Amino acid sequence: MIVPNARNITEDEYFFGHKACAGCGGSLAVRIALKVLGERAVAVLPAGCMSAVGFNFPQLCFGNNAMISTFAGTASMMTGVEAGLRARGISDFQIVGFAGDGGTADIGIQALSGAIDRNDDIIYICYDNEAYMNTGTQKSSLTPFGASTTTTPVTGRVKGNTHEKKNMFEIVAAHGIPYAATASIGYLEDYMRKVRKASEIRGTKYIHVLAPCPTGWGVDSDETIDLARAAVDCGLWPLAEYENGVFHINREIKDLDGIRSYVRGQKRFRHLKDSDLEHIEKMRDLRWEGINKTWIKN
Amino acid sequence: MTRFFISGNEAFAHGIRLARPEVISAYPITPQTIVVERLSEMVGSGVLNSEFIHVESEHSALSCVIGASATGVRTFTATSSQGLLYMAECLPYAAGGRFPIVMMNANRSTALPWNIYGDQRDSLSQLDCGWIQVYAQDAQESLDLALMSYRISENCDVSTPFMINLDGFHLTHTYEPVDIPDQDQADAFLPEYSTENRIDFDNPKNLCFSAGPEYNTIFKIGEHIGIQNSRKEILETEESFAKLFGRRYTGLIEKYLCEDAEFVIITLGSISGLCKNVTESMRKKGIRAGVIRIRYMRPFPHKEISVAVSGAKSVCVLEKDISFGYAGTVFINVCAALHNEGVCVPTLNRIGGLGGKDITENDIQKIFLDMVEGKKDIAFIGVEGVNI
Ligand SMILES: Cc1ncc(C[n+]2csc(CCOP(=O)(O)OP(=O)(O)O)c2C)c(N)n1
Ligand code: SF4
């Protein structure tokens, strides 16, 4: 496998001229993945920020073949495109989906589960900005504990989201999928390697990439990459792969105290009290206890 | 051509086999199930060379064939009732994308109350989603429509998805002798599908996009024109079908004893057969009765109906659905057509067969007598004294 890096990545652009906010993590995840996959990629995007900013007739922003799916139908539409191209006798292509956390973990989870169950030959990339951003920052099941959103506001009785983030990576792995990975746009080369790797495996592949959203998180547009890194470094977003029934952890926690500095400065977390931070820390440690017991380190 | 004694569902599955769709995806629901099973068997045994994708829901079934259609291949799906409603989001999607998908719908009541038997509320509730809608009368017509539908919808001036409705159980499950054409005859009739509206690696496309207020109307007009264009294509397709197979269909409507008819029942689907029988017995009693069977609800045969009933004394729309709060959906469409075409004739509406309740010969005789009596009301049949 040629590992894509800053020096050998193509200069071709497949996602440009779109209307994403400055500093949008999701648009970077889409743009970079398409650079890795190249012109034979067919992209399927459900309702969500990336389809909203990319497909406004007549300003259509994909340089490769691309289409919007229904919100719930990303994976099933990818299945159909894959089957159709195969029926046409075409073989050298790659179907890639880019769905938000809502489109993946909530409304689209049934179709995703069905596609993995059939082991359709597709790459499904979830760009996780931790809320429904396109409709104005409402909670999804991947919104982290404590975050304020417009549907989990900080009110007298409730202080933001009271649920834990759904563990999509392990849910997907539990299907026995050939390849699943977590990634972060803070570690682009790792992300690119995983996209490349996914493209070389047959069957269903799932990559869950953390993609901060300055608009929804309440941070400056030049903080996206740093935050995406910090989430990994403080252990809240483990970088990992699942292959042949085995979990691998790609990067250990560097900064055990980092949760406070990660959370600080994000508007969505600014109401959190020490006890909330302790809870977040406790949940992280529990997760890592499990990881350290069973996941392989590499 | 070989003759078999088979059910409407089986006949339909053979029609689809002959059309050679390259991608099929469907989710089972009574009374459509046999179509899915037969096609699975045909694909499994190699009689039909298609991708058969077992999806986890109707939403996914239609979503999947939309994806496949976007690659430029021929596709098929089938559903009924709750399944049709569950895929409702994808119906206007397929139409707006101008994908000529063919779908069979086994007409069945919609919950609540739960009921698996036939009425037509499911498909008639989806009249406005941009699909061509046709209602078959018998098993032979079901098979023939399966074959004709692709030719009509894939015509580049039409490019519109096509829904073929079969009355649940009455048509899907009853056995009739059916002529099944040979594959080479079918191939001679149905050209290979080709379209520009597809994923293309030499000339990449962005499909299924957004269009704001400035451009939206123009796309919607295109969709409307597509269905309007199908009027001509339906007639031409039936003409070449008749030449090749010797069976002649009658366009958007079928008229039965209508030339001099004074009292006309307008209906659709398999009940038309019984209506025709009763019409004959009414004629023996000296009542000039006639039947119009609506074949296509979209495009709507507004002119054809208006011309056919222009000399009538009374018209009754008999239908197995209701648009709650007003009247039957077909009645609403027929009344608007007559009004627009300047045909002034008294109209009644009879709603029956809901949840599969039998519509009897007596019911139909009563309808003719109501017309003779000069009634103009909207009423349920089979439940005496309930008017709307
Ligand atoms: C069936 C349906 N329900 C609701 C919507 C409205 N909707 C559009 S995008 C969206 C949220 C998308 O959130 P996510 O998938 O997380 O992607 P993001 O916008 O954050 O990129 C919603 C609720 C829709 N388009 N379709
Ligand atoms: S709202 Fe967030 S995810 Fe959406 S385009 Fe803007 S930055 Fe990107």
Side-chain angles (χ1 to χ4, degrees):
Chain A
M1 175 171 74
I2 313 154
V3 181
N5 60 40
R7 275 169 298 283
N8 65 17
I9 189 93
T10 172
E11 288 190 1
D12 296 342
E13 295 292 351
Y14 297 100
F15 185 46
F16 58 96
H18 54 72
K19 295 187 162 89
C21 315
C24 170
S27 64
L28 183 62
V30 173
R31 180 174 153 247
I32 293 296
L34 288 177
K35 276 177 177 281
V36 175
L37 297 172
E39 62 184 6
R40 304 290 292 183
V42 181
V44 178
L45 296 94
C49 271
M50 289 309 109
S51 60
V53 304
F55 284 91
N56 295 297
F57 182 85
Q59 192 182 1
L60 301 169
C61 300
F62 283 84
N64 56 313
N65 286 291
M67 60 198 282
I68 307 185
S69 62
T70 57
F71 200 17
T74 318
S76 45
M77 194 171 276
M78 290 163 79
T79 300
V81 173
E82 197 269 337
L85 288 176
R86 202 154 26 81
R88 268 175 65 190
I90 302 172
S91 53
D92 55 336
F93 61 85
Q94 185 70 66
I95 310 297
V96 60
F98 296 102
D101 43 294
T104 300
D106 299 335
I107 199 168
I109 195 169
Q110 170 181 294
L112 173 59
S113 177
I116 305 173
D117 183 44
R118 292 184 298 271
N119 200 22
D120 296 330
D121 193 14
I122 57 176
I123 305 178
Y124 189 108
I125 298 181
C126 169
Y127 66 92
D128 186 357
N129 51 28
E130 304 198 317
Y132 296 160
M133 293 312 179
N134 183 52
T135 37
T137 321
Q138 295 87 17
K139 176 205 174 307
S140 81
S141 58
L142 297 186
T143 298
F145 171 84
S148 75
T149 69
T150 52
T151 47
T152 55
V154 178
T155 60
R157 274 187 301 148
V158 188
K159 302 270 185 273
N161 179 26
T162 53
H163 296 263
E164 302 297 329
K165 190 176 169 83
K166 196 188 269 186
N167 190 340
M168 270 310 286
F169 174 53
E170 288 181 54
I171 290 170
V172 162
H175 285 71
I177 193 170
Y179 181 73
T182 59
S184 161
I185 57 147
Y187 287 98
L188 266 190
E189 290 194 4
D190 175 73
Y191 173 53
M192 291 192 284
R193 177 181 68 80
K194 286 167 176 171
V195 174
R196 165 60 52 86
K197 187 164 174 180
S199 73
E200 289 171 353
I201 294 169
R202 281 193 70 79
T204 313
K205 288 81 60 174
Y206 177 83
I207 299 176
H208 194 139
V209 55
L210 185 70
C213 159
T215 314
W217 292 18
V219 297
D220 287 339
S221 52
D222 60 1
E223 287 181 89
T224 316
I225 303 288
D226 290 343
L227 282 169
R229 252 170 208 269
V232 174
D233 295 344
C234 73
L236 286 180
W237 189 246
L239 292 188
E241 286 170 292
Y242 171 88
E243 224 182 333
N244 304 320
V246 181
F247 288 96
H248 298 259
I249 186 78
N250 304 128
R251 180 176 287 269
E252 303 227 35
I253 317 179
K254 269 204 302 205
D255 179 10
L256 255 181
D257 297 324
I259 286 183
R260 275 157 215 277
S261 67
Y262 169 65
V263 163
R264 206 177 297 130
Q266 294 186 42
K267 232 189 215 162
R268 60 177 180 158
F269 290 130
R270 83 176 154 197
H271 57 282
L272 294 188
K273 296 200 292 279
D274 279 351
S275 58
D276 297 321
L277 291 175
E278 277 156 25
H279 172 81
I280 294 172
E281 230 162 52
K282 196 182 96 203
M283 297 307 286
R284 176 201 62 184
D285 292 346
L286 259 173
R287 176 122 200 254
W288 276 91
E289 231 174 78
I291 289 175
N292 285 331
K293 265 191 215 141
T294 51
W295 294 15
I296 293 171
K297 295 184 179 122
N298 54 340
Chain B
M1 188 111 55
T2 324
R3 176 160 291 203
F4 290 92
F5 190 62
I6 50 178
S7 69
N9 269 341
E10 284 171 322
F12 191 86
H14 280 288
I16 295 300
R17 167 179 62 77
L18 292 170
R20 301 182 194 261
E22 285 141 297
V23 177
I24 302 172
S25 178
Y27 192 79
I29 177 169
T30 306
Q32 151 267 37
T33 329
I34 294 166
V35 175
V36 180
E37 290 170 355
R38 290 294 170 276
L39 288 170
S40 297
E41 284 163 18
M42 290 170 186
V43 171
S45 68
V47 178
L48 172 60
N49 183 19
S50 297
E51 300 285 335
F52 195 112
I53 298 162
H54 302 277
V55 281
E56 66 295 333
S57 76
E58 287 86 357
H59 192 286
S60 282
L62 189 48
S63 179
C64 177
V65 293
I66 291 172
S69 193
T71 71
V73 301
R74 189 169 284 164
T75 61
F76 176 71
T77 187
T79 191
S80 174
S81 180
Q82 305 295 117
L84 181 70
L85 300 189
Y86 194 42
M87 60 168 65
E89 183 194 15
C90 304
L91 293 171
Y93 210 93
R98 309 299 299 274
F99 298 120
I101 291 158
V102 169
M103 172 158 74
M104 181 261 207
N105 180 58
N107 280 123
R108 165 182 153 179
S109 183
T110 51
L112 283 172
W114 282 98
N115 176 303
I116 58 165
Y117 300 104
D119 64 42
Q120 293 164 340
R121 284 182 294 146
D122 54 356
S123 54
L124 288 170
S125 77
Q126 300 301 314
L127 258 193
D128 300 333
C129 66
W131 286 51
I132 293 170
Q133 269 203 16
V134 68
Y135 292 77
Q137 180 184 236
D138 53 35
Q140 184 70 59
E141 189 182 14
S142 306
L143 182 150
D144 295 345
L145 278 170
L147 211 44
M148 286 191 278
S149 60
Y150 285 102
R151 184 152 150 177
I152 298 162
S153 63
E154 287 171 4
N155 178 282
C156 61
D157 294 331
V158 178
S159 273
T160 298
F162 201 112
M163 187 192 301
I164 302 168
N165 292 285
L166 274 65
D167 278 309
F169 294 107
H170 286 293
L171 183 41
T172 57
H173 283 65
T174 37
Y175 279 63
E176 294 171 43
V178 175
D179 285 333
I180 303 182
D182 302 330
Q183 187 66 59
D184 50 354
Q185 284 178 300
D187 291 346
F189 171 73
L190 185 62
E192 256 183 53
Y193 175 41
S194 83
T195 176
E196 301 268 296
N197 182 30
R198 69 171 193 190
I199 287 166
D200 180 352
F201 290 104
D202 297 327
N203 176 24
K205 292 214 176 62
N206 289 193
L207 298 168
C208 308
F209 42 75
S210 310
E214 199 181 340
Y215 297 99
N216 214 284
T217 310
I218 210 73
F219 283 108
K220 293 292 126 186
I221 290 172
E223 225 177 298
H224 180 61
I225 291 174
I227 301 196
Q228 295 291 37
N229 288 346
S230 72
R231 293 174 192 274
K232 181 165 159 266
E233 194 51 35
I234 287 164
L235 297 178
E236 283 178 12
T237 299
E238 286 179 355
E239 190 54 42
S240 24
F241 190 88
K243 276 196 192 120
L244 252 161
F245 300 103
R247 281 189 295 281
R248 188 164 286 283
Y249 290 96
T250 54
L252 303 189
I253 62 170
E254 181 195 347
K255 290 176 282 191
Y256 188 73
L257 305 181
C258 274
E259 286 71 37
D260 61 342
E262 293 178 336
F263 305 99
V264 179
I265 289 185
I266 299 179
T267 191
L268 62 167
S270 57
I271 193 66
S272 316
L274 190 60
C275 289
K276 289 175 192 170
N277 292 347
V278 176
T279 301
E280 281 177 17
S281 62
M282 296 316 279
R283 289 242 163 201
K284 285 187 190 130
K285 290 181 192 155
I287 296 171
R288 283 207 249 154
V291 173
I292 292 177
R293 174 167 76 95
I294 296 183
R295 295 183 69 235
Y296 284 84
M297 275 301 290
R298 288 292 180 273
F300 192 66
H302 56 106
K303 286 219 163 69
E304 290 81 350
I305 292 174
S306 304
V307 169
V309 304
S310 57
K313 286 194 175 145
S314 177
V315 168
C316 176
V317 177
L318 166 64
E319 59 192 304
K320 300 197 250 182
D321 75 285
I322 174 166
S323 175
F324 295 104
Y326 184 26
T329 299
V330 185
F331 176 74
I332 296 167
N333 277 265
V334 167
C335 288
L338 296 183
H339 181 82
N340 278 342
E341 299 297 320
V343 177
C344 193
V345 56
T347 49
L348 317 73
N349 191 195
R350 290 294 177 264
I351 291 167
L354 297 186
K357 188 174 168 71
D358 244 10
I359 298 176
T360 64
E361 265 189 57
N362 269 345
D363 293 329
I364 298 168
Q365 280 173 12
K366 174 92 176 34
I367 292 173
F368 278 118
L369 296 177
D370 284 350
M371 282 196 266
V372 174
E373 236 180 78
K375 286 197 174 166
K376 289 190 209 170
D377 56 338
I378 301 170
F380 289 103
I381 56 170
V383 272
E384 292 329 309
V386 183
N387 277 28
I388 336 175

